[in-house]
Amino acid sequence: MGTLRYGYPPLEVTLDDRVLAHLQFVIITKLRRKESFVFSWKDDPDLSEGRSSIWIEPSIPLHFKYTDPEQPKLNRAWIDVLMRSAYSADGLKVVEEPHPNKGSD
């Protein structure tokens, strides 16, 4: 399980390394474009049954920490779904990984 740390003092969000890698790709892409957006996720069921949202913007410290030293192969179909959600009014949300399209990386 990886961790996304955001802000100072950091808010820590625990996510599967594979999920985190795909979110990192989308988040960094948006921030490189200087685009701010909302990121939402379901809270850890052991801690809460709710959900949380944060406003992501380029000036706030952000750190991605992985438990696995190897970078997972990214699913382009999943990145596309996540990127579309990041541009929606509801913002970026963690969704299940779709089956990769034939020939995608």
Side-chain angles (χ1 to χ4, degrees):
M1 294 298 278
T3 306
L4 178 139
R5 294 183 180 108
Y6 188 70
Y8 187 81
L11 167 72
E12 294 191 0
V13 181
T14 303
L15 299 157
D16 177 80
D17 276 0
R18 183 160 179 77
V19 173
L20 187 59
H22 285 78
L23 290 172
Q24 178 180 342
F25 184 95
V26 171
I27 290 169
I28 296 303
T29 299
K30 296 274 292 169
L31 293 177
R32 280 186 181 146
R33 296 173 182 166
K34 303 207 182 322
E35 297 171 350
S36 301
F37 58 99
V38 173
F39 170 49
S40 301
W41 65 93
K42 290 182 183 176
D43 293 331
D44 181 340
D46 292 337
L47 304 175
S48 165
E49 291 184 17
R51 62 182 178 84
S52 296
S53 296
I54 54 176
W55 181 250
I56 303 278
E57 68 164 61
S59 66
I60 298 176
L62 177 64
H63 176 227
F64 300 91
K65 174 68 177 158
Y66 296 90
T67 53
D68 188 345
E70 298 299 319
Q71 169 74 25
K73 185 174 181 180
L74 296 179
N75 176 343
R76 187 68 202 176
W78 198 7
I79 288 171
D80 291 344
V81 170
L82 292 169
M83 189 62 79
R84 279 194 304 276
S85 78
Y87 280 103
S88 73
D90 291 334
L92 177 60
K93 291 183 181 176
V94 178
V95 296
E96 286 189 37
E97 181 174 6
H99 184 69
N101 293 334
K102 211 176 202 180
S104 66
D105 292 304

